[in-house]
Amino acid sequence: MNPTTGKMKPIPAGDQQGLVERLMKACGGAYSAETRRKYYITGPQWAAAYEGHALFHAPTRKPVTFEEVIRQYAEIGIGYWCTHDTDVIPADAIGTPRQDEILGRIKQSLQSHGLECSMVTTETFHHAVFAASPAAESPTVREYASSRLRNTVRIGHELGAKFAVYWPGSLGYQVQGAIDEVQVLERYAEGLNAACEEDIKVAKEKGRATLKHCMEAKPFEPAAQILLPSSDAMLALIFSGKLTHPEMVGLNPEYLHELMWGAAPRAALARALMCGKLWHFDINDGYPLKHDVDIGVGLVNPLDWLNVLVLLRSHNYNGPFNLDFKPPRTTSNWGVFSVSFPTAVDRFITMWEMAGEVMEDPVIREAQQALNAGGAVSEGADVVAITEATKELLTLHELIAHRLVQILFGQHRGRTFFDQKS
Ligand code: GLC
Ligand code: MN
Ligand code: MN
């Protein structure tokens, strides 16, 4: 610091990575790659390769190959990789011998770094062909969309994936009146049916289990009005009678996509759990009623995230936790792998462990048991007596919330902020 101007001395470009590294160390440790690999944490190709571009944003980072992403994930300890078809195969190479050549290289990369491919997904939103959605009026566009979905199923089996994800993208409209919403939904269902039928065929040929087909909703972006805006809308489609194999289709909710429409993500997850359809989960963070900012898990709503993980642990969710976030534009190519991904994984693991502590916590446990036991009333008690009987007990709701925050702050482990002992 210059004592007269109060200005910091500029940091030479060559010293900056060293500074970030030193401050990362000062954050106080990290999980080992071995520990990280024990969790079913999956890393998308597109998340690590995101260059920081958007409608108002030019890229801030350079392209990254799948070889590089897989190598870096292995080093960090992310045991699983997933991809859109066109993240790795250019649109004009889909279904050609170039696709086979690329898949060969992917398999080799995964194998030499000890990673598995967990999930494949079809990009049905970026290319101009999907301007009117994958369920567009034109039968040739729909046939093309269907061929892409079927091709992705084959890629999934080839790479050993267990899941296929469907985010419908522009299934909706900007201007009103041109489409018949019911017809579009039915046409969308036909695409899913084609994917499931192809899956049954290929799985049989390969002696593999069929994939789990998981639908992912987002309430807005990229169209103004979206026909399947929430996980609940997806459940309605699954149970609509329009799917030939509803038992093969479940959900991939994204935490932020539920928050974006102002929902309680835990309530959305609970409805999916209740229907037996919570199969895959995109983990990230962000703000209610805002755009899809895809911030790293736990950076915005750690308390809610803690509760999400308590819910999932309590209901034995055993599917993947997919790191579908976007490293901020201010993070460098180097920072993506040395700060973004390792810290996201470590926050997740820490919150997972804290969720375990919540479930074991004697204060919370006793409070919940007492609430479930209810208040004592004599037989034939009237409404006043029933109300009075739990009056003091219900204060425990707030006490439990306080205790959860204490656990988040580490107070249950002896971190104190009080000036007197009780
Ligand atoms: C897009 C979406 C992302 C989704 C993925 C899978 O990248 O932005 O949320 O999970 O597609 O299809
Ligand atoms: Mn997602
Ligand atoms: Mn998102």
Side-chain angles (χ1 to χ4, degrees), residues 306 310 313 353-370 396 399-408 410-414:
L306 174 58
V310 172
R313 286 189 67 151
E353 296 306 321
M354 281 169 55
E357 292 178 356
V358 168
M359 292 163 75
E360 298 291 311
D361 186 70
V363 176
I364 293 181
R365 182 172 284 177
E366 192 177 338
Q368 283 175 340
Q369 278 169 356
L396 289 173
L399 192 145
I400 290 172
H402 170 68
R403 185 66 182 154
L404 280 160
V405 175
Q406 280 199 321
I407 291 175
L408 194 70
Q411 286 171 294
H412 65 310
R413 288 188 168 204

Short mmCIF file of all heavy atoms in Angstrom, two decimals, residues 306 310 313 353-370 396 399-408 410-414:
data_model
loop_
_atom_site.label_atom_id
_atom_site.label_comp_id
_atom_site.label_asym_id
_atom_site.label_seq_id
_atom_site.Cartn_x
_atom_site.Cartn_y
_atom_site.Cartn_z
N LEU A 306 -28.66 -26.68 3.06
CA LEU A 306 -28.50 -27.63 4.16
C LEU A 306 -29.80 -28.42 4.34
O LEU A 306 -29.80 -29.65 4.46
CB LEU A 306 -28.13 -26.87 5.44
CG LEU A 306 -28.06 -27.68 6.73
CD1 LEU A 306 -27.05 -28.81 6.62
CD2 LEU A 306 -27.70 -26.78 7.92
N VAL A 310 -30.75 -32.42 3.96
CA VAL A 310 -31.40 -33.19 5.03
C VAL A 310 -32.59 -33.96 4.43
O VAL A 310 -32.77 -35.16 4.68
CB VAL A 310 -31.89 -32.27 6.18
CG1 VAL A 310 -32.74 -33.05 7.18
CG2 VAL A 310 -30.70 -31.62 6.90
N ARG A 313 -31.26 -36.81 2.19
CA ARG A 313 -30.68 -37.89 3.00
C ARG A 313 -31.77 -38.65 3.73
O ARG A 313 -31.73 -39.87 3.83
CB ARG A 313 -29.66 -37.33 3.99
CG ARG A 313 -28.35 -36.91 3.33
CD ARG A 313 -27.29 -36.56 4.35
NE ARG A 313 -26.88 -37.74 5.10
CZ ARG A 313 -25.68 -37.91 5.63
NH1 ARG A 313 -24.74 -36.97 5.47
NH2 ARG A 313 -25.37 -38.98 6.31
N GLU A 353 -22.23 -33.41 4.89
CA GLU A 353 -21.83 -33.87 6.23
C GLU A 353 -22.63 -33.13 7.31
O GLU A 353 -23.05 -33.73 8.31
CB GLU A 353 -20.33 -33.64 6.45
CG GLU A 353 -19.43 -34.45 5.52
CD GLU A 353 -19.73 -35.95 5.56
OE1 GLU A 353 -20.01 -36.47 6.65
OE2 GLU A 353 -19.72 -36.59 4.49
N MET A 354 -22.85 -31.84 7.11
CA MET A 354 -23.64 -31.07 8.08
C MET A 354 -25.07 -31.58 8.13
O MET A 354 -25.68 -31.62 9.21
CB MET A 354 -23.64 -29.58 7.70
CG MET A 354 -22.35 -28.89 8.12
SD MET A 354 -22.20 -27.24 7.40
CE MET A 354 -23.69 -26.53 7.93
N ALA A 355 -25.60 -32.00 6.98
CA ALA A 355 -26.96 -32.55 6.96
C ALA A 355 -27.00 -33.80 7.84
O ALA A 355 -27.98 -34.04 8.56
CB ALA A 355 -27.39 -32.87 5.53
N GLY A 356 -25.91 -34.58 7.80
CA GLY A 356 -25.82 -35.75 8.67
C GLY A 356 -25.84 -35.32 10.14
O GLY A 356 -26.48 -35.95 10.99
N GLU A 357 -25.14 -34.22 10.44
CA GLU A 357 -25.11 -33.72 11.83
C GLU A 357 -26.49 -33.24 12.27
O GLU A 357 -26.89 -33.43 13.42
CB GLU A 357 -24.08 -32.59 11.95
CG GLU A 357 -22.65 -33.08 11.76
CD GLU A 357 -21.61 -31.97 11.84
OE1 GLU A 357 -21.98 -30.79 11.96
OE2 GLU A 357 -20.42 -32.31 11.78
N VAL A 358 -27.21 -32.63 11.35
CA VAL A 358 -28.58 -32.20 11.66
C VAL A 358 -29.42 -33.42 12.03
O VAL A 358 -30.17 -33.42 13.02
CB VAL A 358 -29.22 -31.46 10.46
CG1 VAL A 358 -30.73 -31.27 10.67
CG2 VAL A 358 -28.53 -30.12 10.21
N MET A 359 -29.26 -34.49 11.25
CA MET A 359 -30.09 -35.67 11.48
C MET A 359 -29.75 -36.36 12.79
O MET A 359 -30.58 -37.04 13.39
CB MET A 359 -29.95 -36.64 10.30
CG MET A 359 -30.58 -36.07 9.03
SD MET A 359 -30.04 -36.89 7.53
CE MET A 359 -30.97 -38.42 7.66
N GLU A 360 -28.50 -36.18 13.25
CA GLU A 360 -28.06 -36.79 14.51
C GLU A 360 -28.22 -35.86 15.70
O GLU A 360 -28.00 -36.27 16.84
CB GLU A 360 -26.56 -37.13 14.42
CG GLU A 360 -26.19 -38.13 13.35
CD GLU A 360 -26.71 -39.50 13.69
OE1 GLU A 360 -26.49 -39.94 14.84
OE2 GLU A 360 -27.37 -40.12 12.83
N ASP A 361 -28.53 -34.61 15.45
CA ASP A 361 -28.48 -33.62 16.52
C ASP A 361 -29.51 -33.93 17.61
O ASP A 361 -30.71 -34.03 17.33
CB ASP A 361 -28.74 -32.22 15.95
CG ASP A 361 -28.56 -31.16 17.02
OD1 ASP A 361 -27.41 -30.93 17.43
OD2 ASP A 361 -29.57 -30.58 17.45
N PRO A 362 -29.06 -34.05 18.87
CA PRO A 362 -30.00 -34.44 19.92
C PRO A 362 -31.10 -33.40 20.17
O PRO A 362 -32.23 -33.77 20.50
CB PRO A 362 -29.12 -34.61 21.17
CG PRO A 362 -27.78 -34.07 20.82
CD PRO A 362 -27.68 -33.97 19.33
N VAL A 363 -30.76 -32.13 20.00
CA VAL A 363 -31.79 -31.09 20.23
C VAL A 363 -32.90 -31.21 19.19
O VAL A 363 -34.09 -31.26 19.51
CB VAL A 363 -31.15 -29.67 20.17
CG1 VAL A 363 -32.22 -28.60 20.31
CG2 VAL A 363 -30.06 -29.52 21.23
N ILE A 364 -32.48 -31.29 17.93
CA ILE A 364 -33.47 -31.37 16.84
C ILE A 364 -34.26 -32.68 16.96
O ILE A 364 -35.47 -32.71 16.82
CB ILE A 364 -32.78 -31.26 15.47
CG1 ILE A 364 -32.21 -29.85 15.32
CG2 ILE A 364 -33.75 -31.59 14.34
CD1 ILE A 364 -31.52 -29.56 14.02
N ARG A 365 -33.52 -33.74 17.25
CA ARG A 365 -34.19 -35.04 17.34
C ARG A 365 -35.28 -35.04 18.42
O ARG A 365 -36.42 -35.42 18.17
CB ARG A 365 -33.16 -36.13 17.63
CG ARG A 365 -33.76 -37.50 17.67
CD ARG A 365 -32.71 -38.56 17.76
NE ARG A 365 -32.06 -38.77 16.47
CZ ARG A 365 -31.06 -39.62 16.27
NH1 ARG A 365 -30.57 -40.30 17.27
NH2 ARG A 365 -30.54 -39.79 15.08
N GLU A 366 -34.90 -34.55 19.61
CA GLU A 366 -35.89 -34.57 20.70
C GLU A 366 -37.06 -33.64 20.39
O GLU A 366 -38.23 -33.95 20.66
CB GLU A 366 -35.22 -34.18 22.03
CG GLU A 366 -36.16 -34.46 23.19
CD GLU A 366 -35.54 -34.18 24.56
OE1 GLU A 366 -34.30 -34.15 24.68
OE2 GLU A 366 -36.33 -34.00 25.51
N ALA A 367 -36.75 -32.49 19.77
CA ALA A 367 -37.82 -31.55 19.45
C ALA A 367 -38.79 -32.17 18.44
O ALA A 367 -40.02 -32.06 18.58
CB ALA A 367 -37.21 -30.27 18.89
N GLN A 368 -38.23 -32.85 17.43
CA GLN A 368 -39.11 -33.44 16.42
C GLN A 368 -39.93 -34.59 16.98
O GLN A 368 -41.10 -34.75 16.66
CB GLN A 368 -38.30 -33.88 15.19
CG GLN A 368 -37.93 -32.67 14.34
CD GLN A 368 -37.02 -32.99 13.17
OE1 GLN A 368 -36.35 -34.04 13.18
NE2 GLN A 368 -36.97 -32.10 12.19
N GLN A 369 -39.27 -35.37 17.86
CA GLN A 369 -40.02 -36.48 18.48
C GLN A 369 -41.18 -35.93 19.30
O GLN A 369 -42.29 -36.45 19.25
CB GLN A 369 -39.10 -37.32 19.36
CG GLN A 369 -38.31 -38.34 18.55
CD GLN A 369 -37.19 -38.99 19.36
OE1 GLN A 369 -36.97 -38.62 20.52
NE2 GLN A 369 -36.51 -39.94 18.77
N ALA A 370 -40.90 -34.88 20.04
CA ALA A 370 -41.95 -34.29 20.89
C ALA A 370 -43.09 -33.76 20.03
O ALA A 370 -44.28 -33.97 20.33
CB ALA A 370 -41.35 -33.17 21.74
N LEU A 396 -41.41 -25.12 19.42
CA LEU A 396 -40.25 -25.90 18.97
C LEU A 396 -39.95 -25.69 17.48
O LEU A 396 -38.81 -25.86 17.05
CB LEU A 396 -40.48 -27.40 19.24
CG LEU A 396 -40.44 -27.81 20.71
CD1 LEU A 396 -40.85 -29.27 20.87
CD2 LEU A 396 -39.03 -27.58 21.30
N LEU A 399 -37.52 -23.05 17.48
CA LEU A 399 -36.29 -23.50 18.12
C LEU A 399 -35.47 -24.40 17.17
O LEU A 399 -34.25 -24.30 17.09
CB LEU A 399 -36.64 -24.27 19.41
CG LEU A 399 -35.46 -24.56 20.34
CD1 LEU A 399 -35.91 -24.49 21.79
CD2 LEU A 399 -34.82 -25.91 20.06
N ILE A 400 -36.18 -25.24 16.41
CA ILE A 400 -35.49 -26.10 15.44
C ILE A 400 -34.80 -25.24 14.38
O ILE A 400 -33.64 -25.48 14.01
CB ILE A 400 -36.49 -27.09 14.79
CG1 ILE A 400 -36.94 -28.14 15.83
CG2 ILE A 400 -35.88 -27.77 13.56
CD1 ILE A 400 -38.06 -29.06 15.36
N ALA A 401 -35.51 -24.21 13.90
CA ALA A 401 -34.91 -23.33 12.88
C ALA A 401 -33.65 -22.67 13.43
O ALA A 401 -32.62 -22.57 12.75
CB ALA A 401 -35.93 -22.29 12.44
N HIS A 402 -33.71 -22.22 14.70
CA HIS A 402 -32.54 -21.62 15.34
C HIS A 402 -31.39 -22.61 15.42
O HIS A 402 -30.24 -22.29 15.13
CB HIS A 402 -32.93 -21.14 16.75
CG HIS A 402 -31.76 -20.71 17.58
ND1 HIS A 402 -31.01 -19.59 17.29
CD2 HIS A 402 -31.19 -21.28 18.68
CE1 HIS A 402 -30.04 -19.49 18.18
NE2 HIS A 402 -30.12 -20.49 19.03
N ARG A 403 -31.72 -23.83 15.79
CA ARG A 403 -30.68 -24.86 15.93
C ARG A 403 -30.01 -25.16 14.58
O ARG A 403 -28.80 -25.37 14.50
CB ARG A 403 -31.32 -26.14 16.52
CG ARG A 403 -30.33 -27.23 16.82
CD ARG A 403 -29.39 -26.84 17.94
NE ARG A 403 -28.40 -27.85 18.23
CZ ARG A 403 -27.21 -27.59 18.77
NH1 ARG A 403 -26.87 -26.35 19.12
NH2 ARG A 403 -26.37 -28.56 19.02
N LEU A 404 -30.82 -25.17 13.51
CA LEU A 404 -30.25 -25.40 12.17
C LEU A 404 -29.25 -24.32 11.81
O LEU A 404 -28.18 -24.60 11.27
CB LEU A 404 -31.38 -25.42 11.13
CG LEU A 404 -32.14 -26.74 11.05
CD1 LEU A 404 -33.50 -26.54 10.39
CD2 LEU A 404 -31.33 -27.75 10.26
N VAL A 405 -29.59 -23.07 12.14
CA VAL A 405 -28.66 -21.97 11.84
C VAL A 405 -27.41 -22.13 12.71
O VAL A 405 -26.30 -21.91 12.24
CB VAL A 405 -29.34 -20.61 12.05
CG1 VAL A 405 -28.34 -19.47 11.85
CG2 VAL A 405 -30.51 -20.44 11.10
N GLN A 406 -27.59 -22.55 13.95
CA GLN A 406 -26.42 -22.79 14.82
C GLN A 406 -25.50 -23.85 14.20
O GLN A 406 -24.27 -23.71 14.24
CB GLN A 406 -26.88 -23.28 16.19
CG GLN A 406 -27.35 -22.17 17.11
CD GLN A 406 -27.33 -22.64 18.56
OE1 GLN A 406 -27.68 -23.79 18.84
NE2 GLN A 406 -26.95 -21.76 19.47
N ILE A 407 -26.11 -24.88 13.64
CA ILE A 407 -25.30 -25.94 13.03
C ILE A 407 -24.56 -25.37 11.82
O ILE A 407 -23.38 -25.65 11.60
CB ILE A 407 -26.18 -27.17 12.68
CG1 ILE A 407 -26.64 -27.83 13.99
CG2 ILE A 407 -25.44 -28.16 11.78
CD1 ILE A 407 -27.61 -28.98 13.85
N LEU A 408 -25.25 -24.53 11.05
CA LEU A 408 -24.60 -23.88 9.91
C LEU A 408 -23.42 -23.02 10.36
O LEU A 408 -22.39 -22.97 9.71
CB LEU A 408 -25.64 -23.02 9.18
CG LEU A 408 -25.27 -22.51 7.79
CD1 LEU A 408 -25.24 -23.66 6.78
CD2 LEU A 408 -26.28 -21.46 7.33
N GLY A 410 -21.66 -23.56 12.98
CA GLY A 410 -20.67 -24.35 13.71
C GLY A 410 -20.80 -24.21 15.22
O GLY A 410 -19.91 -24.63 15.97
N GLN A 411 -21.88 -23.65 15.71
CA GLN A 411 -22.01 -23.45 17.16
C GLN A 411 -22.20 -24.77 17.91
O GLN A 411 -21.82 -24.87 19.07
CB GLN A 411 -23.16 -22.49 17.45
CG GLN A 411 -22.80 -21.05 17.11
CD GLN A 411 -23.99 -20.12 17.20
OE1 GLN A 411 -24.92 -20.24 16.43
NE2 GLN A 411 -23.96 -19.21 18.16
N HIS A 412 -22.76 -25.76 17.23
CA HIS A 412 -22.93 -27.06 17.89
C HIS A 412 -21.58 -27.73 18.11
O HIS A 412 -21.45 -28.69 18.84
CB HIS A 412 -23.84 -27.95 17.04
CG HIS A 412 -23.25 -28.31 15.71
ND1 HIS A 412 -22.72 -27.38 14.86
CD2 HIS A 412 -23.09 -29.51 15.09
CE1 HIS A 412 -22.26 -27.97 13.77
NE2 HIS A 412 -22.47 -29.27 13.88
N ARG A 413 -20.56 -27.24 17.44
CA ARG A 413 -19.21 -27.80 17.59
C ARG A 413 -18.34 -26.92 18.46
O ARG A 413 -17.12 -26.99 18.40
CB ARG A 413 -18.56 -27.95 16.23
CG ARG A 413 -19.16 -29.06 15.41
CD ARG A 413 -18.31 -29.23 14.21
NE ARG A 413 -18.64 -30.46 13.51
CZ ARG A 413 -17.79 -31.09 12.72
NH1 ARG A 413 -16.57 -30.62 12.58
NH2 ARG A 413 -18.14 -32.17 12.11
N GLY A 414 -18.95 -26.01 19.17
CA GLY A 414 -18.18 -25.25 20.14
C GLY A 414 -17.78 -23.87 19.67
O GLY A 414 -17.08 -23.15 20.39
#
